[in-house]
Amino acid sequence: MLSLLSSLCRLLLAFSVLAFFQAAAHAQTPQNFTIGNWKKTSSNTSQFFIIQGNLNRQTPLQAPLEPAISQNSFFIRYTLKYPAEHIDQPPESSGEFFILWLDDTEGNETSGHSNQTPNIGVHVDKNLKNKYMIRFSSPRQAFASELRGDQSTQLVAHISKSKPGIENPYDKIALWINPKVVQRDRPDTQLQVSNARVSTIRWLGFSTGVKTETTDRITVGDIQIAHNWEELFGIRMQTKVTAPKPLTMPKPSISFAKDVVPILQQRCFQCHQGVNKTGFRLDVADEVLNQTTPFAAGTSELIHRINASDETKMPPEGERLSPDEIKTLSVWIDEGMRWDEVLFPTPKLTSEHWAFQPIQTPVIPAKPKHGRTAIDAFLAKQQKQLGVTPNEVAPIETLIRRLHLTVTGLPPSPEFLELVLKVEPANRQDWLDQQVKTLLATRAYGEHWGRYWLDIARWAESNGHQHNRFRPDAWRYRDYVISSFAQNKPFNLFLKEQIAGDEISTGDDHVIATGFLSAARYSGNNLDKQIQRNEILVDVTNTTASAFLGLTMECAQCHTHKFDPISIRDYYRFQAFFAEGQPGSVVLEEGREAAPQLIAEYWNLFDQTKGRVYQELKKKGSPEPIYVAPETVNRRIPNSDRAFYNQLKKQLDALPKAWGWYSTQSDYLSLPVAPHLMRWPLERERTALYQRPTYLLIRGDITNRGPEVEPGVPSVFAQIPVDDKPRLTLANWMTSPDNPLTARVWVNRIWQGHFGRGIVESSSDFGTQGTTPSNQDLLDYLASELLSHDWDTAHIHSLILNSHAYRQAATQQTTALERDPNNSSWWGWNPYHLHSEAVHDSILQVSGSLTSLLGGPSRQPDNVTKVRSIYLESRRNTPSYLNEVFDGPTTSHSCSRRSQSISPLQSLYLLNSKFTHQNADKIAEVIGAKTDKIEEQAATAVLSVLGRHIRADEQPTVVKFLQETSLKDLCLVLLNSNEFIHVN
Amino acid sequence: MSINPQRRAFLRQSAVSMTGLTSIALASSLQPTLLRGNERKIARSVIFLYMSGGPSQVDTFDPKPALATYSGQNVPESIARNVPPIKRSGLNNIMPSHWSFQPHGESGIPVSELLPHTAQHADDLCVIRSVKHLNPVHGPGECVCLTGVAGGDRPSIGAWTTYALGNINENLPTFMAMNIHSDGMQFPQRAGWSTGFLPAKHQGVVINPATGIKFTDLPEDTPQQRRIQQLQLLDFLNEKHRKDKLNADLLQARIKSYEMTAKMQVAAPELFDWETRESEATRILYGIGKENSHETGVACLMGRRMVERGVRFIQIRVGGWDAHGNIKSNHSRQAARTDKPIAGLLRDLKQRGLLTSTLVVWAGEFGRTPTMEGTANGRDHSPNGYSIWMAGGGVQGGQIIGQTDDLGYVATERPVSPFDYHATILAALGIDPAKLSYNHLGREETPLFNDGAVIEEVLA
């Protein structure tokens, strides 16, 4: 009912006849079982259906089924709670009796409903035990386990016909007591009879008998009928529901071709046909959509313009459109703006833009004298054209510090310097090649590059927005990213797991990887479920497109992209890949046996309480159950169930979970989703994920639906068939060797990660408005290397790190600076600011305080915790002070490149914070313990902090400072120095 | 009176102070073409009083006698049909205001008895009664209020302002934000002082008015003389490091930031030391020392002190206005927290001659429904037509702009958007928002976004 109500709201919002028909059609497929209004013949029942006996046969509660059920099989479930103190134990007494019956007649208050019709309840067995029971009549009973007092017990029955057919009776019952979802084939008891009577069930009700005392207080609730087992558990139906076909629109009174086209041709096309200088085309359906609102001429820009009399009027000059013409166009829009694609086909979007062309493997130019890898050959060609020559190799201590910082985010140890200094100077560069391999296999590399990826994935550990709830399981994705890098996972696999992990398998890694999608912000304070979902889908669409494809699709959300060949239709087709999923707290393998039961019990109790609270509110005039917030429900759990509820919550908390993505495509049976409480969460029923057709939204407005669209890649690319694993299809397309973007975008990000700037500077925008590559051959060479090496990220790192371009000095050359002022040919190393994490981690590292960690839940940032920043809790809206002042990632949107701002607040932090002082103290302490000679102390301090030997031209000044101040002061100054804070 | 010479001097000064920095200095923004209405009185600083939670328009600045007439009834169809079908907009049970309204000052602007002190400044206020947008949720609403969009991915109005005008006093941050009473569920949204796509240096610095800017105190073991020695050595090492290096500008800028550090270390404690530097009379004026108004009082006083010292944009966020239940006690408490301090701020700025150069803005993220929410004597969120005010520099006070319907539900006359009042803030500072642009993803972004426009009538 609720969904119908919201459909109606949508209708009002959209003024869209089409939307209404579609919503109505959706509500009908599949047909839901509905239990009618409960008829309470006794005042002894409440909303919770607390039933007491009267030492007589009675039916205090019954309800009609609308429509009646006659299909071959169905499931019914209810929850029963018997107070232990009231359970009478035979032979001392008569024992207990209680049933749910299903019948074709309504009967009266005292009818038995035990005349060859299904009964599910409690009765005494031969051994005089109170047991859960099924029966068709008194003699034909079957028993399950013993009745347990004080516990909410779920009874699930499968009622079926051994002979299919509408006229044949229901003659089989199977019963499960508190079943787990995996116990489908293992009922606790079953029963078949030959003389069954009822072939259509029209009524159901609860009866007590002579054994039921007036003091008994039996609670029943959560009564539900379902087509199949899975639906009963709120999980995916075995057969996928096929989306209903859009209904044909009402017969139009206006013909597009005969009535509309002549007006457009005579009055509009003079300026607005074909590619024209006004920027508006009225001969292409998707562009007309930018100017109109189908079914609502009144809010259509086009109609406003032809009606206007001010400077916005159309046509700008000459005769106004006649009232008849205006009316024709208005009716055309009100009838859904039919278009004739034959008459005016949507032009195939094409683009000459470099990034959309196939990746060609360029011929490697002649290797220059200084060259170490092919990279240098490509750059040498460009440098020659510009008339510049690259710098010499950087000093070895600078180089090893650079190498450690760009690969691991940490400075090298002084021991490493000693090691390299032992190598013959002529062999040092080759020796470093070996060290590159070693460094790329460290966890520290995974941590540093993992952080880079987390920026791009706009990952954080809270929902964002106003309530900003913590996501206690989000850390698993962080660990997944770190180990993916540390293990050098092929990038194509890394991509697939993140976009479509749950479609590949339900294995933990795959589920955790979908943390990329679920990292979207999630407003827990939105009552409008459509807006709430849409915000998440928009986030997922934009982030996926920019992170992997370097496409800024967000512009096309509201209108066909002004610059890039991406139409508004392309945007929603891309979004449709994600439409049947949502973020949630997905239980991992270890917890999947226990989870379904716990979750079902939890929601059962939750819903009962919610129902009760709602009834109370309703009496006071509060309009909708949606206003009953989960916090309220939590507070209002009845005292009798409180302990049980708390225990359930505890058990649920203890389950291993991931903040992941689940959808109609993921295997539901195996993927239980635990409650993630927030004030107004997304709809939790998985069935809500079905039937999510994606509509083109006019101007991005959720209330303003255009035509329905199917998943598909942007039309500028060759189209691909989309199967029942849409996201995997998308991921396969993104990682196919023909995709011109993915490999280019990734190698460029790798380049940026080392040099601080990409070959394409706008590293998340490879569109026409992005910057052009400073050296496209180089970019394409790296991209084709990635493809020919099975997406081996470490291979690209090595090519870069072993190149002369990477190893050259940061010296400024006057001539080169004149001829290539932006250093676009990479003739020298550009020093850049450490990222906030590297500032933090490097300080801890040089003071010897850094504690290594192998992942796990995030740590609180404080002065006692000395782990790498990536393991510190990262909540949206409340970044650490270091992230606040040192340009940390926004975490609300994908961050492709950190800002490099300079502010006195940074300096104040480094000069005065407890953190830097503690660490300066620590370094001083260690050095002081080693030597008390001032000169040695000065040299050791420089070595420890800057990773190099003290220089002759600075030694006297440093020593003098040390004589006048303290070792700690020296260390503090060194930690503040530009040399320490930059990648030199 | 012409302000031009002073303004030109200031622009020159800004230009000079900005060239030392490497981040995009927006030279073009300092061109005269960016300025509008040079003859007009313009503000040079802004104090944005952001009332978080959503003050009720019909209980503050938009009197609606019809609420009493229709008390308990449903919203009539003539009004209800204009109410957007958003979840929060209840149409049942109209609830009258608990407060009566009186006209104040020469202008006769009606202000609710809830805000008696603010009311005394009626002739300075330009009340806009017709702000509207579509987001009835706090978090996104706060982003709409301060950045124009619900996602908060565009620059905050403070960031646009500092981007356009730079700083006056380089010894202090250009944009400072204070979050007062941010208890409860309405966590401050970082977007409110963030820069969106603008360079990070334009973001607001969040400070606690009681403790000031972080890390400005010298550590105990570092006497002033020692700090001088440290900075001398640092300068020596940095100069050596910078020699012949690529990216020398960046390195140079960082060296310079240490000079600023030293100055800020002197300027910031002086700024925040109101306790020894402000008179008893001033404290009383701001309600400092009074239980309810103390915190806002200190923040507002800091606002004035910042203005005096050339801070460009000051944002004071006062939480707690979310009156779902018992609006009488909620709004009474909020009035006790804010009325005296805000009125004190206006008076103090005026008596010091600063009100003509300081624009003061008062706004929530939305208003509230004229109907009762549930049965709890409160009002739900309503972004359909609510009141804000502007006063001081660049603004024509003593006027009301826009109207809502008879119940104060929906803006009926001169509806304006947050983008519009952001544009107006910039215009009051002498900037033409249409010409203030930043190239982001190939698009020349302006504070107007798609269709914002200056509310011309506001301007003096």
Side-chain angles (χ1 to χ4, degrees):
Chain A
M1 193 55 198
L2 204 60
S3 74
L4 188 63
L5 269 180
S6 65
S7 302
L8 285 169
C9 289
R10 254 182 269 139
L11 164 75
L12 291 172
L13 289 165
F15 301 101
S16 160
V17 178
L18 184 64
F20 170 66
F21 281 126
Q22 287 177 342
H26 288 209
Q28 283 165 11
T29 11
Q31 191 165 38
N32 292 321
F33 292 122
T34 321
I35 300 173
N37 288 330
W38 287 96
K39 185 172 140 190
K40 287 182 277 185
T41 55
S42 149
S43 58
N44 296 338
T45 54
S46 70
Q47 175 61 22
F48 269 80
F49 304 144
I50 295 169
I51 294 171
Q52 61 194 76
N54 63 354
L55 292 171
N56 214 328
R57 182 187 284 166
Q58 64 149 357
T59 295
L61 195 63
Q62 61 192 68
L65 286 170
E66 295 156 357
I69 303 177
S70 53
Q71 65 181 71
N72 296 332
S73 128
F74 65 94
F75 284 80
I76 184 160
R77 158 182 104 180
Y78 72 101
T79 301
L80 176 69
K81 194 167 163 184
Y82 239 89
E85 53 176 319
H86 297 146
I87 296 179
D88 305 317
Q89 210 56 259
E92 289 78 24
S93 70
S94 55
E96 296 296 329
F97 172 76
F98 179 83
I99 55 162
L100 166 71
W101 52 260
L102 301 116
D103 207 341
D104 56 356
T105 56
E106 182 181 3
N108 61 31
E109 287 169 36
T110 55
S111 299
H113 296 285
S114 57
N115 179 16
Q116 315 303 339
T117 188
N119 285 188
I120 304 132
V122 172
H123 206 184
V124 181
D125 78 349
K126 279 184 291 195
N127 302 322
L128 300 179
K129 297 278 185 206
N130 290 315
K131 283 191 169 167
Y132 299 107
M133 174 259 343
I134 44 179
R135 69 177 193 179
F136 281 89
S137 62
S138 299
R140 297 310 310 273
Q141 313 185 94
F143 293 91
S145 53
E146 197 168 346
L147 170 67
R148 292 175 68 185
D150 283 351
Q151 288 202 351
S152 287
T153 305
Q154 212 173 56
L155 284 76
V156 172
H158 180 213
I159 297 173
S160 56
K161 300 177 175 183
S162 57
K163 284 192 211 113
I166 195 160
E167 68 289 354
N168 292 319
Y170 288 104
D171 55 358
K172 284 169 74 173
I173 315 180
L175 178 71
W176 292 259
I177 304 300
N178 288 332
K180 295 179 181 179
V181 72
V182 291
Q183 288 173 337
R184 168 72 180 85
D185 301 325
R186 284 174 276 149
D188 292 288
T189 186
Q190 40 196 326
L191 179 65
Q192 186 171 350
V193 294
S194 55
N195 56 348
R197 175 181 62 82
V198 177
S199 57
T200 298
I201 292 174
R202 296 195 172 86
W203 285 88
L204 54 82
F206 290 96
S207 290
T208 60
V210 290
K211 293 183 175 116
T212 328
E213 289 84 3
T214 50
T215 49
D216 286 348
R217 293 285 185 280
I218 305 157
T219 311
V220 296
D222 184 35
I223 305 145
Q224 224 179 309
I225 303 177
H227 292 85
N228 55 40
W229 179 262
E230 290 77 17
E231 192 187 332
L232 208 56
F233 282 84
I235 52 184
R236 183 184 185 174
M237 278 161 281
Q238 292 292 52
T239 48
K240 190 174 171 184
V241 180
T242 47
K245 291 199 180 83
L247 291 183
T248 44
M249 287 189 278
K251 193 169 164 55
S253 59
I254 295 284
S255 153
F256 174 66
K258 282 190 201 139
D259 303 323
V260 177
V261 171
I263 302 175
L264 294 175
Q265 273 170 341
Q266 285 159 27
R267 312 305 312 269
C268 312
F269 280 0
Q270 208 176 341
C271 302
H272 296 301
Q273 188 175 29
V275 178
N276 63 73
K277 61 177 186 241
T278 71
F280 298 103
R281 289 185 71 165
L282 295 180
D283 59 343
V284 176
D286 286 357
E287 300 213 20
V288 176
L289 275 174
N290 290 341
Q291 310 302 325
T292 54
T293 307
F295 300 106
T299 60
S300 293
E301 181 71 9
L302 188 143
I303 301 296
H304 288 181
R305 291 295 188 99
I306 56 179
N307 273 320
S309 52
D310 57 10
E311 72 274 13
T312 65
K313 70 180 177 188
M314 281 291 150
E317 282 154 15
E319 211 183 316
R320 316 294 306 138
L321 267 71
S322 73
D324 277 353
E325 287 172 321
I326 292 174
K327 187 165 177 233
T328 301
L329 292 177
S330 298
V331 172
W332 171 60
I333 293 169
D334 279 336
E335 288 179 349
M337 208 199 91
R338 275 148 209 280
W339 194 264
D340 187 336
E341 275 290 322
V342 179
L343 229 48
F344 295 103
T346 300
K348 170 92 180 81
L349 286 171
T350 55
S351 177
E352 301 294 308
H353 181 57
W354 69 270
F356 300 133
Q357 311 312 316
I359 298 167
Q360 308 285 355
T361 310
V363 179
I364 302 174
K367 209 172 189 182
K369 204 164 65 228
H370 60 269
R372 300 193 82 250
T373 70
I375 289 170
D376 300 315
F378 285 104
L379 288 175
K381 190 175 160 193
Q382 187 188 356
Q383 287 159 353
K384 199 174 167 193
Q385 283 161 1
L386 290 164
V388 299
T389 47
N391 279 337
E392 295 297 313
V393 172
I396 192 70
E397 58 269 81
T398 305
L399 196 47
I400 62 169
R401 187 167 181 274
R402 180 190 300 169
L403 184 64
H404 278 77
L405 282 172
T406 76
V407 175
T408 68
L410 296 171
S413 64
E415 292 74 35
F416 191 88
L417 178 62
E418 298 316 313
L419 214 59
V420 69
L421 291 178
K422 283 183 192 139
V423 180
E424 266 306 296
N427 298 336
R428 280 178 190 165
Q429 295 303 316
D430 293 343
W431 184 83
L432 276 185
D433 291 355
Q434 293 308 309
Q435 298 309 309
V436 164
K437 276 189 197 155
T438 314
L439 280 178
L440 287 171
T442 58
R443 184 165 172 91
Y445 156 68
E447 290 162 338
H448 182 55
W449 282 73
R451 180 59 255 179
Y452 183 26
W453 187 256
L454 294 178
D455 277 18
I456 294 162
R458 50 54 181 120
W459 173 85
E461 296 181 87
S462 67
N463 285 341
H465 294 294
Q466 176 199 343
H467 294 169
N468 203 23
R469 288 279 164 111
F470 189 55
R471 294 176 174 172
D473 305 305
W475 60 270
R476 290 188 199 267
Y477 174 74
R478 176 249 286 147
D479 280 0
Y480 158 83
V481 169
I482 292 173
S483 32
S484 295
F485 278 101
Q487 296 159 10
N488 191 32
K489 183 176 281 172
F491 187 74
N492 57 344
L493 183 59
F494 187 51
L495 181 154
K496 280 183 205 178
E497 290 176 342
Q498 293 179 83
I499 303 282
D502 60 310
E503 290 183 3
I504 300 170
S505 89
T506 55
D508 283 355
D509 251 18
H510 286 152
V511 170
I512 293 167
T514 61
F516 174 83
L517 303 175
S518 60
R521 285 185 296 166
Y522 182 164
S523 169
N525 196 23
N526 206 327
L527 283 166
D528 191 314
K529 300 295 117 186
Q530 293 209 73
I531 293 177
Q532 192 178 31
R533 272 186 68 78
N534 187 56
E535 281 173 355
I536 292 173
L537 289 178
V538 166
D539 184 323
V540 168
T541 307
N542 297 351
T543 309
T544 305
S546 70
F548 295 107
L549 299 171
L551 288 177
T552 58
M553 287 193 88
E554 57 261 36
C555 305
Q557 186 193 340
C558 304
H559 51 78
T560 292
H561 207 295
K562 281 205 167 68
F563 310 105
D564 287 334
I566 295 170
S567 72
I568 184 168
R569 192 180 294 268
D570 285 336
Y571 182 86
Y572 290 97
R573 290 171 75 236
F574 199 78
Q575 184 177 299
F577 282 114
F578 308 97
E580 289 194 352
Q582 64 186 31
S585 196
V586 183
V587 179
L588 296 176
E589 286 171 277
E590 197 192 314
R592 288 192 196 146
E593 176 78 17
Q597 177 80 7
L598 295 172
I599 294 165
E601 298 244 28
Y602 175 88
W603 285 124
N604 186 15
L605 204 47
F606 183 93
D607 289 346
Q608 283 183 19
T609 310
K610 182 169 175 171
R612 183 165 52 88
V613 177
Y614 167 54
Q615 287 304 319
E616 285 170 19
L617 288 175
K618 199 171 149 194
K619 278 187 202 130
K620 291 184 195 161
S622 191
E624 285 182 62
I626 196 168
Y627 284 100
V628 182
E631 287 94 337
T632 315
V633 178
N634 267 325
R635 272 199 311 275
R636 299 289 307 278
I637 296 290
N639 284 336
S640 54
D641 289 323
R642 172 63 59 189
F644 178 58
Y645 182 75
N646 288 342
Q647 187 206 332
L648 274 177
K649 278 212 296 192
K650 222 169 144 185
Q651 285 172 290
L652 284 165
D653 282 348
L655 291 176
K657 298 181 287 291
W659 183 248
W661 188 263
Y662 64 102
S663 80
T664 57
Q665 293 92 25
S666 41
D667 178 356
Y668 273 171
L669 262 181
S670 331
L671 278 188
V673 177
H676 174 75
L677 282 199
M678 53 180 92
R679 189 177 290 175
W680 317 117
L682 286 166
E683 290 160 281
R684 92 174 177 253
E685 290 303 327
R686 299 185 183 201
T687 43
L689 290 174
Y690 284 96
Q691 303 147 17
R692 292 282 179 195
T694 301
Y695 298 93
L696 189 157
L697 301 180
I698 311 294
R699 282 177 293 282
D701 178 359
I702 184 74
T703 64
N704 204 344
R705 282 178 174 179
E708 189 178 334
V709 294
E710 295 288 331
V713 302
S715 52
V716 70
F717 302 109
Q719 294 302 292
I720 49 159
V722 179
D723 61 16
D724 61 353
K725 291 190 171 179
R727 280 175 286 121
L728 191 57
T729 313
L730 175 65
N732 284 333
W733 172 75
M734 285 162 103
T735 53
S736 86
D738 302 332
N739 188 301
L741 290 166
T742 313
R744 279 181 175 132
V745 169
W746 180 232
V747 296
N748 187 61
R749 291 198 195 280
I750 298 176
W751 186 278
Q752 180 192 300
H754 292 296
F755 288 91
R757 162 168 66 96
I759 300 167
V760 175
E761 195 166 345
S762 58
S763 51
S764 277
D765 185 4
F766 275 48
T768 55
Q769 296 303 301
T771 49
T772 47
S774 58
N775 190 324
Q776 198 191 327
D777 279 352
L778 173 58
L779 181 72
D780 282 2
Y781 163 73
L782 292 171
S784 46
E785 281 292 304
L786 185 70
L787 292 172
S788 64
H789 285 75
D790 298 326
W791 300 85
D792 179 351
T793 295
H795 172 65
I796 306 301
H797 279 304
S798 300
L799 287 175
I800 293 171
L801 296 168
N802 295 339
S803 71
H804 177 77
Y806 179 83
R807 298 200 181 169
Q808 63 190 326
T811 322
Q812 177 168 308
Q813 304 176 41
T814 318
T815 321
L817 200 60
E818 270 167 24
R819 294 180 180 167
D820 182 11
N822 296 326
N823 196 11
S824 68
S825 66
W826 312 95
W827 52 261
W829 178 267
N830 263 50
Y832 61 90
H833 208 295
L834 293 181
H835 290 176
S836 84
E837 293 83 1
V839 172
H840 173 268
D841 299 352
S842 297
I843 291 175
L844 287 177
Q845 169 86 342
V846 299
S847 78
S849 314
L850 191 67
T851 316
S852 66
L853 202 63
L854 287 171
S858 290
R859 305 298 176 92
Q860 290 301 319
D862 53 40
N863 278 322
V864 188
T865 313
K866 295 185 166 65
V867 297
R868 294 195 72 173
S869 308
I870 195 169
Y871 299 117
L872 298 177
E873 198 173 281
S874 166
R875 292 191 195 224
R876 293 188 162 117
N877 279 334
T878 54
S880 69
Y881 190 73
L882 214 67
N883 271 338
E884 186 86 69
V885 299
F886 283 97
D887 307 316
T890 65
T891 67
S892 56
H893 304 87
S894 177
C895 168
S896 60
R897 189 183 173 198
R898 297 279 180 94
S899 271
Q900 296 259 302
S901 76
I902 288 166
S903 107
L905 300 177
Q906 298 166 348
S907 320
L908 282 172
Y909 178 83
L910 292 176
L911 281 172
N912 294 341
S913 74
K914 199 174 167 190
F915 178 73
T916 42
H917 277 257
Q918 269 182 354
N919 284 287
D921 258 333
K922 181 90 191 293
I923 306 167
E925 203 180 293
V926 173
I927 299 171
K930 276 189 207 154
T931 173
D932 50 9
K933 288 190 185 135
I934 296 271
E935 287 78 6
E936 283 178 16
Q937 285 182 341
T940 317
V942 170
L943 181 65
S944 305
V945 179
L946 303 179
R948 63 168 172 83
H949 292 295
I950 195 164
R951 292 186 188 123
D953 63 351
E954 62 192 8
Q955 202 260 2
T957 312
V958 174
V959 168
K960 182 162 174 283
F961 175 84
L962 198 45
Q963 281 162 343
E964 290 167 0
T965 63
S966 75
L967 191 49
K968 179 214 169 166
D969 286 305
L970 174 59
C971 296
L972 183 74
V973 169
L974 293 171
L975 290 177
N976 272 273
S977 68
N978 269 349
E979 190 172 345
F980 182 74
I981 290 299
H982 288 82
V983 181
N984 299 298
Chain B
M1 185 184 90
S2 165
I3 302 182
N4 282 340
Q6 185 192 342
R7 171 143 194 97
R8 273 198 300 274
F10 150 65
L11 288 175
R12 270 200 306 277
Q13 184 196 339
S14 304
V16 170
S17 71
M18 288 175 92
T19 43
L21 296 174
T22 50
S23 31
I24 301 162
L26 190 70
S28 68
S29 83
L30 300 170
Q31 300 305 312
T33 52
L34 192 66
L35 304 174
R36 44 176 289 148
N38 277 354
E39 297 308 313
R40 163 190 292 157
K41 294 176 192 166
I42 53 170
R44 61 170 212 161
S45 295
V46 179
I47 299 178
F48 196 118
L49 304 162
Y50 166 53
M51 300 294 113
S52 164
S56 163
Q57 69 281 12
V58 295
D59 300 303
T60 53
F61 295 99
D62 197 1
K64 293 294 170 184
L67 294 178
T69 317
Y70 296 103
S71 176
Q73 298 182 30
N74 293 346
V75 176
E77 170 55 23
S78 60
I79 288 173
R81 67 161 173 255
N82 297 322
V83 178
I86 50 182
K87 269 275 181 265
R88 300 279 191 172
S89 300
L91 297 172
N92 302 332
N93 197 1
I94 291 168
M95 178 167 76
S97 176
H98 294 282
W99 298 277
S100 67
F101 284 72
Q102 296 296 326
H104 290 272
E106 283 178 29
S107 58
I109 291 180
V111 180
S112 140
E113 62 181 344
L114 181 65
L115 304 170
H117 300 287
T118 306
Q120 291 170 24
H121 297 276
D123 290 343
D124 291 320
L125 307 185
C126 170
V127 177
I128 306 172
R129 286 180 175 170
S130 51
V131 184
K132 68 179 292 186
H133 58 84
L134 286 168
N135 213 305
V137 183
H138 293 292
E142 180 164 348
C143 295
V144 170
C145 172
L146 298 169
T147 72
V149 291
D153 49 343
R154 294 185 64 83
S156 60
I157 179 60
W160 276 118
T161 303
T162 56
Y163 166 68
L165 293 176
N167 57 7
I168 307 169
N169 177 351
E170 66 171 31
N171 301 335
L172 288 170
T174 319
F175 173 9
M176 284 196 258
M178 294 172 256
N179 298 327
I180 312 298
H181 295 300
S182 51
D183 40 334
M185 290 290 277
Q186 274 94 53
F187 296 119
Q189 298 294 301
R190 193 183 175 201
W193 56 89
S194 293
T195 56
F197 43 74
L198 292 178
K201 70 171 224 172
H202 300 295
Q203 79 179 344
V205 175
V206 181
I207 51 119
N208 177 341
T211 54
I213 298 173
K214 279 190 181 172
F215 306 115
T216 49
D217 290 342
L218 277 179
E220 276 174 18
D221 64 351
T222 311
Q224 190 60 40
Q225 178 54 31
R226 180 64 53 89
R227 175 50 49 89
I228 293 168
Q229 290 170 305
Q230 289 170 348
L231 291 179
Q232 281 170 343
L233 178 67
L234 185 62
D235 201 44
F236 168 80
L237 293 172
N238 282 346
E239 283 301 330
K240 282 218 169 306
H241 172 258
R242 186 174 74 94
K243 199 165 175 290
D244 299 328
K245 279 272 188 337
L246 262 167
N247 240 356
D249 286 353
L250 176 86
L251 301 172
Q252 172 67 37
R254 196 162 177 281
I255 292 170
K256 193 174 157 52
S257 85
Y258 275 86
E259 287 168 28
M260 289 166 70
T261 305
K263 290 179 190 163
M264 194 177 283
Q265 225 157 274
V266 176
E270 191 277 332
L271 165 65
F272 288 96
D273 180 22
W274 58 271
E275 289 190 65
T276 60
R277 290 165 201 262
E278 294 289 344
S279 69
E280 184 62 23
T282 301
R283 294 180 195 207
I284 291 168
L285 182 63
Y286 282 86
I288 291 172
K290 289 266 186 288
E291 193 190 336
N292 289 321
S293 54
H294 179 81
E295 283 185 84
T296 320
V298 171
C300 285
L301 174 59
M302 288 318 306
R304 186 215 84 207
R305 290 180 64 84
M306 288 176 189
V307 165
E308 284 175 322
R309 284 155 187 77
V311 176
R312 183 70 73 184
F313 200 98
I314 300 127
Q315 194 157 294
I316 301 174
R317 179 193 197 274
V318 186
W321 287 92
D322 196 17
H324 287 282
N326 199 348
I327 193 166
K328 191 172 181 190
S329 74
N330 171 285
H331 272 35
S332 298
R333 180 194 69 188
Q334 291 305 104
R337 281 177 173 177
T338 60
D339 184 37
K340 190 126 190 1
I342 290 171
L345 172 66
L346 292 173
R347 175 143 312 179
D348 202 16
L349 288 172
K350 200 166 199 174
Q351 71 196 12
R352 287 165 194 263
L354 291 167
L355 192 58
T356 49
S357 61
T358 309
L359 170 63
V360 184
V361 184
W362 181 97
E365 66 268 38
F366 35 60
R368 310 202 76 85
T369 55
T371 52
M372 189 188 295
E373 177 188 355
T375 54
N377 293 308
R379 300 186 191 275
D380 208 337
H381 311 159
S382 177
N384 308 307
Y386 62 97
S387 301
I388 70 168
W389 57 254
M390 297 190 186
V395 167
Q396 183 63 54
Q399 58 165 339
I400 295 168
I401 292 168
Q403 290 290 354
T404 52
D405 56 46
D406 287 348
L407 297 179
Y409 214 142
V410 179
T412 50
E413 257 178 45
R414 188 67 170 109
V416 300
S417 73
F419 279 117
D420 295 338
Y421 70 69
H422 293 170
T424 311
I425 290 170
L426 292 166
L429 290 158
I431 300 157
D432 183 345
K435 292 178 185 156
L436 178 66
S437 71
Y438 183 83
N439 189 298
H440 169 61
L441 299 179
R443 195 181 141 112
E444 286 299 322
E445 295 283 1
T446 78
L448 302 177
F449 195 34
N450 287 333
D451 48 12
V454 175
I455 310 163
E456 296 286 348
E457 331 62 302
V458 171
L459 303 175

